[in-house]
Amino acid sequence: MKHGNIVKYAGFLGFTALILIFSGCFLSAPTGELVSPTIRAIGLPDASIVGSVTLKVTGPDMAPVEVSYTQLPSVINIAVPEGNDRKFELTVTTGSSYKGAIASYKGTAAADITSDSAVVTLNMGIGSTKIIVPDYSNNRVLQFDDINSINETKLSSTDNPVFGAWLGISSIIFLPYEIDFDSEGRIYIANNDPSEGIIRVDNIEGLNPLAFGVNTQIVSLTIDRENNVIYYSDGSTVYRNNLNGTNQTEQINSDVGLFDIKGLAVDNGYLYITENPDGGLIIKYNLTTSSIIISKSATDFGISGLTAWGIIAKDDKLFVTNLGGESSYQILELSTSDLSLIGHYGNQASGTDTSKGQFYGPRGFVAILNKKLTIIDDASSGNNDKLVSIDDITGSEWETLPKSGNGQELFSFYHYSFC
């Protein structure tokens, strides 16, 4: 076995940089000589919020290697067989006492490892978030650790008196409509009050609140985490701003014919928009040229109707909620390249129903950075509301919150006022 044992650890408030040298025991029979590359993990959270740490190494001609810790270690005792295309994945989960939105940080890298001198750099970013949902009808935001949670943390004027006092001083009515996160895990809320359109807080307790944006009722927003930009809409105009809200400009206005914008998603230089007049539209907009390059309707998809609402981009695919869509078309999967229809799923529920594939009225997506699709499902009338979690467009690993019955003890979402 080749060797190398130097470990360096440097920490500071906010983020830390961790340099690990792999050495020691190998957990599976190697197929090549063991080597100890230097692993640099950049952008780790402060050790005080860490709940667990897992490092996994995979590659051709080697058995996967995985080690886990209950706190941020100063060294990971593991060795890697030399070879090409070794994939390193470091996952750091946050602890139960942490009140922020981030559930895990993740860093991945691939490298050819042939000697101890190899260096692998893992740039850590948000791996997953907790489930944070707007509860417009109850003037609050709710945070759940995951789809199986039985307890929620609330952000409202009554549950968070300091935040409530700030709302009062600012003359803001709290009407949360949609939520997204920046790369630091701060929460951005599309507020449907005509005074201030965007509210940013550090966490679900309402720490360091900031309000900015147009004095109109914001219905959608999306964060470009690569460029630290936020886009938001009041239904007819799309605005662009920095994350401090000090540089608002119009990205798209009603002159281009968009009058009922429902959802926004940004990915790789494009803005994706759902709009609902004329039978519904899904639009691809080039942010560099400031032009609409593709627009598709129900006819283009070969379906009887389209009421496109929420939209997210994941792995070169778009997922769209089709409120009130025909049988098996409640959720649409599209290609980001040409908006072609790849897949579809879900039926309209009749009455209270949490069984697989049954939707009351899919509105939007939450926990948008997670691998799973988590959907707000909200009836236009009555008391049926739930969250739905699925792995993919086939509905695999279907789970709901609540697991049975309606969701009125948990949330009411939108339907009392905005349907």
Side-chain angles (χ1 to χ4, degrees):
M1 178 187 295
K2 298 183 182 180
H3 62 279
N5 277 337
I6 300 172
V7 177
K8 298 179 181 178
Y9 177 84
F12 49 89
L13 290 177
F15 293 98
T16 60
L18 175 63
I19 301 177
L20 302 173
I21 300 293
F22 288 165
S23 63
C25 299
F26 181 58
L27 301 186
S28 301
T31 60
E33 187 172 7
L34 300 183
V35 293
S36 301
T38 299
I39 307 298
R40 290 187 171 92
I42 300 172
L44 285 165
D46 188 88
S48 64
I49 72 169
V50 171
S52 67
V53 178
T54 300
L55 177 69
K56 186 174 183 179
V57 185
T58 59
D61 302 319
M62 65 167 283
V65 182
E66 182 175 314
V67 289
S68 297
Y69 299 85
T70 57
Q71 59 186 3
L72 200 63
S74 59
V75 61
I76 293 179
N77 292 314
I78 186 175
V80 179
E82 63 181 2
N84 295 330
D85 196 25
R86 299 306 188 224
K87 291 182 172 60
F88 298 80
E89 181 178 275
L90 183 65
T91 302
V92 179
T93 65
T94 54
S96 58
S97 62
Y98 169 65
K99 299 300 182 183
I102 299 174
S104 70
Y105 293 82
K106 183 171 288 187
T108 60
D112 297 337
I113 305 299
T114 58
S115 69
D116 288 341
S117 62
V119 177
V120 179
T121 300
L122 299 167
N123 291 302
M124 305 297 291
I126 299 177
S128 62
T129 66
K130 299 172 184 178
I131 297 175
I132 303 182
V133 298
D135 191 6
Y136 171 94
S137 297
N138 289 313
N139 306 95
R140 64 187 184 178
V141 169
L142 302 178
Q143 176 173 292
F144 301 88
D145 286 345
D146 53 51
I147 198 70
N148 296 306
S149 293
I150 57 174
N151 297 311
E152 73 277 6
T153 306
K154 303 172 186 176
L155 174 63
S156 70
S157 59
T158 55
D159 292 289
N160 311 86
V162 174
F163 177 72
W166 173 80
L167 290 172
I169 293 171
S170 306
S171 300
I172 296 174
I173 300 173
F174 195 41
L175 296 170
Y177 212 79
E178 192 172 28
I179 291 170
D180 204 349
F181 313 90
D182 64 18
S183 58
E184 297 179 29
R186 294 177 297 191
I187 303 168
Y188 293 74
I189 303 164
N191 197 41
N192 205 248
D193 172 56
S195 58
E196 295 284 357
I198 302 295
I199 296 175
R200 187 187 80 186
V201 292
D202 284 0
N203 57 31
I204 195 64
E205 295 180 330
L207 185 65
N208 295 324
L210 172 68
F212 60 88
V214 293
N215 295 327
T216 54
Q217 294 169 297
I218 299 301
V219 296
S220 59
L221 83 167
T222 185
I223 304 290
D224 182 345
R225 280 168 285 274
E226 291 186 2
N227 298 298
N228 294 320
V229 171
I230 181 173
Y231 297 91
Y232 46 92
S233 178
D234 58 3
S236 60
T237 302
V238 177
Y239 300 90
R240 171 191 169 107
N241 213 328
N242 61 33
L243 298 184
N244 291 323
T246 57
N247 189 28
Q248 177 176 284
T249 58
E250 287 189 7
Q251 182 70 52
I252 305 173
N253 59 43
S254 57
D255 292 342
V256 300
L258 303 182
F259 299 104
D260 192 15
I261 295 167
K262 294 296 186 185
L264 299 172
V266 63
D267 183 62
N268 198 30
Y270 296 95
L271 192 65
Y272 298 93
I273 304 164
T274 58
E275 191 213 19
N276 276 322
D278 304 320
L281 294 173
I282 300 172
I283 297 161
K284 183 176 182 178
Y285 177 91
N286 190 316
L287 290 166
T288 301
T289 62
S290 298
S291 61
I292 294 173
I293 59 174
I294 304 174
S295 178
K296 291 199 172 183
S297 66
T299 301
D300 297 310
F301 298 125
I303 57 180
S304 62
L306 177 65
T307 307
W309 198 282
I311 185 169
I312 59 169
K314 284 180 179 289
D315 301 325
D316 298 323
K317 297 177 182 177
L318 292 175
F319 295 90
V320 178
T321 60
N322 183 19
L323 180 66
E326 64 185 270
S327 178
S328 84
Y329 286 88
Q330 297 281 289
I331 310 295
L332 308 179
E333 181 182 44
L334 312 177
S335 166
T336 56
S337 61
D338 60 3
L339 302 189
S340 59
L341 183 63
I342 299 172
H344 49 90
Y345 180 72
N347 301 311
Q348 290 186 15
S350 177
T352 302
D353 197 341
T354 57
S355 59
K356 184 177 179 179
Q358 301 301 308
F359 289 92
Y360 306 130
R363 303 280 174 165
F365 297 93
V366 292
I368 59 177
L369 300 181
N370 300 1
K371 288 184 177 180
K372 289 177 175 287
L373 299 172
T374 305
I375 303 152
I376 291 175
D377 189 27
D378 179 28
S380 296
S381 61
N383 294 326
N384 287 320
D385 302 90
K386 65 179 183 285
L387 294 174
V388 174
S389 173
I390 54 178
D391 275 3
D392 51 44
I393 199 64
T394 69
S396 62
E397 300 301 322
W398 170 282
E399 293 182 284
T400 64
L401 180 67
K403 290 188 178 299
S404 62
N406 66 56
Q408 293 310 291
E409 293 181 1
L410 296 176
F411 28 63
S412 295
F413 296 134
Y414 312 108
H415 66 253
Y416 293 141
S417 300
F418 276 85
C419 290

